[in-house]
Amino acid sequence: MTDALEVDGLSVRYGGVTAARDVSFTIQPGQSLGIIGANGAGKTSTLKALMGLVPRTVRSVRFGDQDLTRVPGRDMVRHGIGYVPEGRHVFPGLPVEKNLLLGAYTRRWKGATLDTLDEVYELFPILREMRGRLAGALSGGQQQMLAIGRALMSAPRLMLLDEPSMGLSPKLVSDIVGVLKKLNERGLSMLLVEQNAQLTFEVTTECLVMENGAVAMTGTSESLRQNPQVRKIYLGL
Ligand code: ATP
């Protein structure tokens, strides 16, 4: 069993721009929560703020019985939170396997790390095939797999994913959906930020809809999928 993440009153301002305003949510153990919204709605800022990567104000962040409100971003991974940033940010000049092993930098036991490496290769066989290639030589989809694999290498209990579908072909998007569902079924909690509402509803049980930096709607993914406003604005139906 893993822990619940409780975020209360998260706000981000860049100079005069409020990118996220008083955002609160809970991710239950093993749950997959989505945040959807248009370009610029504040989704990425919310995730980055949660990871302590941009200046923020927040009333509290709790993960199980740990108070993470004042934990700096670089330490979040030590508390069991993995992060797959928008745009992947793999290390292009390093081989695939080295990128993966760098994801395990907080772990002390080599044996356990190598077991996780095997699990990642099982999820993404193409990464095993390409283990010796430079990450920069991979396709966009393969780099996305590498970014997810690298985050898994820290053995997180909660994984934050920022737009994993961005720029990928429909086939690759469906491969990524399959992997995310499998990870969630294995008990990994997830926070998935996406412009692709269709994908998000498939992978998550509940979602927030962000508009202009604030939470405009919340509900089960199923109820939002059927909501006429959501269908029109986010599903283009
Ligand atoms: P996208 O889907 O494009 O990533 P988003 O919903 O994630 O969009 P954010 O990237 O969080 O939205 O942006 C929210 C608002 O904050 C936007 O108005 C954006 O222009 C602004 N913003 C984001 N980053 C910065 C920054 N570093 N400096 C100033 N303004 C920023």
Side-chain angles (χ1 to χ4, degrees):
M1 202 53 161
T2 164
D3 293 323
L5 178 82
E6 296 167 83
V7 178
D8 183 26
L10 180 67
S11 298
V12 183
R13 286 176 67 84
Y14 303 107
V17 180
T18 300
R21 190 177 326 111
D22 204 13
V23 176
S24 301
F25 54 86
T26 297
I27 305 175
Q28 299 297 344
Q31 193 197 355
S32 176
L33 178 81
I35 302 183
I36 61 169
N39 201 341
K43 308 179 298 299
T44 293
S45 299
T46 300
L47 269 204
K48 282 189 175 165
L50 185 51
M51 288 304 287
L53 301 174
V54 292
R56 68 181 191 194
T57 59
V58 68
R59 277 190 292 278
S60 74
V61 180
R62 297 194 61 82
F63 190 39
D65 56 9
Q66 309 176 90
D67 182 355
L68 302 187
T69 314
R70 281 178 193 80
V71 168
R74 63 176 184 276
D75 290 340
M76 291 295 268
V77 65
R78 290 181 205 280
H79 291 275
I81 302 187
Y83 175 54
V84 182
E86 182 177 22
R88 298 138 201 172
H89 298 286
V90 297
F91 302 106
L94 295 177
V96 165
E97 188 154 291
K98 186 78 185 158
N99 268 267
L100 290 172
L101 291 171
L102 282 171
Y105 75 98
T106 53
R107 299 178 70 184
R108 291 168 66 192
W109 306 111
K110 194 151 180 251
T113 300
L114 293 180
D115 287 347
T116 310
L117 184 63
D118 250 352
E119 287 167 28
V120 169
Y121 283 151
E122 211 182 287
L123 278 173
F124 300 113
I126 189 75
L127 295 183
R128 192 194 297 271
E129 268 173 50
M130 302 213 164
R131 67 213 286 174
R133 295 257 190 105
L134 295 185
L138 302 188
S139 71
Q142 291 161 351
Q143 288 191 14
Q144 186 62 66
M145 293 174 196
L146 180 55
I148 295 173
R150 184 180 56 186
L152 288 171
M153 288 299 295
S154 67
R157 286 170 289 136
L158 166 69
M159 187 123 115
L160 314 183
L161 296 120
D162 196 350
E163 303 247 7
S165 80
M166 195 165 46
L168 303 189
S169 68
K171 161 79 175 80
L172 281 169
V173 169
S174 103
D175 289 352
I176 299 268
V177 165
V179 165
L180 297 184
K181 281 183 167 172
K182 200 183 275 185
L183 290 169
N184 189 227
E185 277 158 18
R186 292 180 186 174
L188 181 63
S189 310
M190 273 182 214
L191 177 57
L192 175 64
V193 159
E194 265 291 342
Q195 277 193 51
N196 183 337
Q198 185 71 44
L199 176 164
T200 311
F201 294 152
E202 237 178 278
V203 174
T204 62
T205 50
E206 278 180 52
C207 284
L208 316 184
V209 181
M210 285 191 77
E211 283 173 11
N212 298 320
V215 177
M217 269 186 261
T218 60
T220 65
S221 305
E222 201 41 52
S223 68
L224 289 169
R225 196 208 290 268
Q226 288 168 22
N227 178 300
Q229 211 180 329
V230 171
R231 284 170 68 81
K232 188 163 167 229
I233 303 176
Y234 299 104
L235 295 174
L237 297 171

